[in-house]
Amino acid sequence: MARFDVATLIGLIAGFGLLIAAILLGDGAGNFVSLPSVLIVLGGTLAVTLVSFNLGDVFRAIPVTFGVAFRRPRDASQAAMIAVKLADEARKQGSLGLPRTLTGVRDEPFLRKALELVADGTPTGEIERILENDMASISTREKGVAQMLRRAAEVAPAMGLIGTLVGLVQMLNRLDSPAEIGPAMALALLTTLYGAVLANMVLNPLATKIERHASDEATLNRLYAAAACSISRKENPRHLETFINSLLPPLKRVRFYAT
């Protein structure tokens, strides 16, 4: 099972905690709560995002966002060691040992699929094409979600500005009623605040995390694809180790075989 990434939760709690603390140390939270401002920013951001993307894409992005944002990133070095170890075991035991190996990679669906293709005797060229298509599909999905969040992050401050203009119009229309100027001005300022907070403390950070996850996931999948193709070709696992290390940064490279 994917492990929970506390960094995202800590970041969100710390960011909003500091903001709330600053508010409470001032005149209190009551002055920073406005339902019309919330409706303008949240409702407007969602509405414009729905205009920019399909309804199905927006709803599918929700579980992807939560699944990626709160999933601890996997270690590339550990994945590389798994790949080389599998190739080493397959060289010693042959393809007959692959079905038994599959039970140990249930938490790695991409790797499991790659090994199933090898175990089924699929030609190496076809394995490469299938895995490349899968990698492209996964990357497109996660980058699409990140793009959607970026778009929402662009819209949120704009909706805050629209709310500010609405509040200013209301304020100018009530200059003859001094008691009503304050609430109108509050609406004008709070929508700008809400839009900036939503964009810079939620949407943009989540988009960045998803983009980072997509890059890391692509690297790991390339390692697993290389291992599957190497096993299919019955290559020396030492060659696989050399190739895998060429995909990793120096500090992440592995040494399964003693030199």
Side-chain angles (χ1 to χ4, degrees), residues 64 68-69 71 73-74 135-147 206-222:
V64 173
V68 171
R71 183 190 308 159
R74 291 175 291 170
M135 286 188 286
S137 177
I138 294 171
S139 178
T140 298
R141 181 195 63 181
E142 295 190 349
K143 289 181 179 179
V145 173
Q147 181 183 7
L206 288 178
T208 299
K209 190 141 199 174
I210 290 175
E211 290 170 346
R212 174 74 178 272
H213 179 274
S215 177
D216 293 343
E217 189 81 0
T219 299
L220 265 63
N221 288 342
R222 281 197 295 270

Side-chain angles (χ1 to χ4, degrees), residues 28-49:
N31 296 328
F32 290 86
V33 177
S34 172
L35 182 58
S37 297
V38 172
L39 293 176
I40 290 174
V41 174
L42 292 183
T45 299
L46 178 59
V48 175
T49 303

Side-chain angles (χ1 to χ4, degrees), residues 107-164:
D107 295 337
E108 297 287 351
F110 185 89
L111 176 58
R112 182 178 178 84
K113 179 176 181 177
L115 294 179
E116 286 176 344
L117 291 172
V118 176
D120 291 341
T122 307
T124 304
E126 188 173 347
I127 292 175
E128 289 179 340
R129 287 192 296 271
I130 292 174
L131 296 182
E132 285 176 1
N133 289 337
D134 279 357
M135 286 188 286
S137 177
I138 294 171
S139 178
T140 298
R141 181 195 63 181
E142 295 190 349
K143 289 181 179 179
V145 173
Q147 181 183 7
M148 190 180 303
L149 291 175
R150 294 285 188 200
R151 176 57 181 159
E154 293 175 358
V155 172
M159 296 309 302
L161 178 60
I162 291 174
T164 297

